[in-house]
Every structure is written in C-alpha cells, then in structure tokens.
C-alpha cells in the first residue's frame, strides 16, 4: 500500500506496527478479524488493502 500511495504522489502517513502501535492496540481499534494494513482516506476509515483498492477504483483514484 505504501508503494502504491507513493506512486500516486498523494500525501499519506504510515503507522508502523511495533513502532507507532502494538498488535493489541490494533486489535482494540479494528477488531480481531482485521488485517494489515488498514487504510483511512481523509477522516474516513476504508478498511483493508482490498477494500481500499476497490474504493480507489470506484472513486476514480485508480484507473482500470
């Protein structure tokens, strides 16, 4: 996801497991079934990488 966001030349902030948050904090925030990474665009939580790619496609951020 980081490589894609860099390629799109958009502004983003990356939080890193073990540096910015723990797995326990991640699970408390997103639930036990959540996968890495979780994506937020603006103030809207989009979800997993698959959900983020679908959102980007549907909203014209990605072509194809």
């Amino acid at each position: 996801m980081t490589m894609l966001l860099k390629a799109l030349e958009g502004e983003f902030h990356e939080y890193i497991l073990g540096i910015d948050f723990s797995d326990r904090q991640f699970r408390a925030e997103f639930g036990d079934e959540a996968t890495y990474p979780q994506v937020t665009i603006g103030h809207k939580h989009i979800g997993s990488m698959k959900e983020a790619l679908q959102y980007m496609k549907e909203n014209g951020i990605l072509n194809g």
Side-chain angles (χ1 to χ4, degrees):
M1 184 54 69
T2 299
M3 290 172 48
L4 172 61
L5 294 172
K6 284 181 181 179
L8 293 172
E9 298 180 353
E11 186 176 323
F12 69 96
H13 185 84
E14 179 180 23
Y15 295 95
I16 300 172
L17 175 64
I19 295 174
D20 299 305
F21 63 94
S22 68
D23 186 66
R24 179 182 225 159
Q25 290 169 313
F26 180 86
R27 301 285 168 217
E29 178 76 19
F30 301 109
D32 289 334
E33 301 301 316
T35 59
Y36 296 101
Q38 289 292 303
V39 178
T40 298
I41 297 177
H43 293 288
K44 180 178 181 173
H45 177 247
I46 304 302
S48 69
M49 186 167 164
K50 181 178 178 181
E51 293 164 324
L53 292 172
Q54 183 65 34
Y55 176 89
M56 290 176 169
K57 184 177 176 184
E58 289 173 357
N59 289 279
I61 299 168
L62 292 178
N63 295 324

